[in-house]
């Protein structure tokens, strides 16, 4: 990720997912977290949401 504000937003998104995600539960799936929390709070698309989750190790460098 290029900008610090994007890195901070991605870290916040990952923190929210870590706090709320439970494998095997449909009411705690990543897509449900995106629809109920992330989309409303950050206003980002689903593809951006999943790219933030994938960027976990690259922003630590």
């Amino acid at each position: 990720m290029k900008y610090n504000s994007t890195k901070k937003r991605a870290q916040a998104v990952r923190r929210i997912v870590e706090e709320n995600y439970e494998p095997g539960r449909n009411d705690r799936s990543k897509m449900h977290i995106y629809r109920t929390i992330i989309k409303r709070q950050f206003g980002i698309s689903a593809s951006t949401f999943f790219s933030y989750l994938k960027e976990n190790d690259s922003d630590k460098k």
Side-chain angles (χ1 to χ4, degrees):
M1 281 181 254
K2 191 172 182 178
Y3 300 104
N4 285 332
S5 61
T6 305
K7 290 178 185 178
K8 289 179 183 178
R9 189 175 338 137
Q11 290 170 350
V13 166
R14 283 193 300 273
R15 188 173 354 100
I16 291 169
V17 170
E18 287 174 9
E19 293 170 358
N20 294 291
Y21 177 66
E22 293 182 28
R25 288 187 61 186
N26 288 336
D27 63 333
R28 294 290 185 178
S29 69
K30 291 178 183 176
M31 197 63 191
H32 184 266
I33 293 168
Y34 166 73
R35 281 190 227 115
T36 58
I37 302 171
I38 303 298
K39 188 175 181 180
R40 294 177 184 174
Q41 187 172 350
F42 294 98
I44 60 175
S45 69
S47 62
T48 302
F49 168 69
F50 285 109
S51 71
Y52 284 176
L53 297 181
K54 289 180 185 178
E55 295 284 334
N56 200 7
D57 294 326
S58 66
D59 63 352
K60 293 181 181 179
K61 294 179 182 179

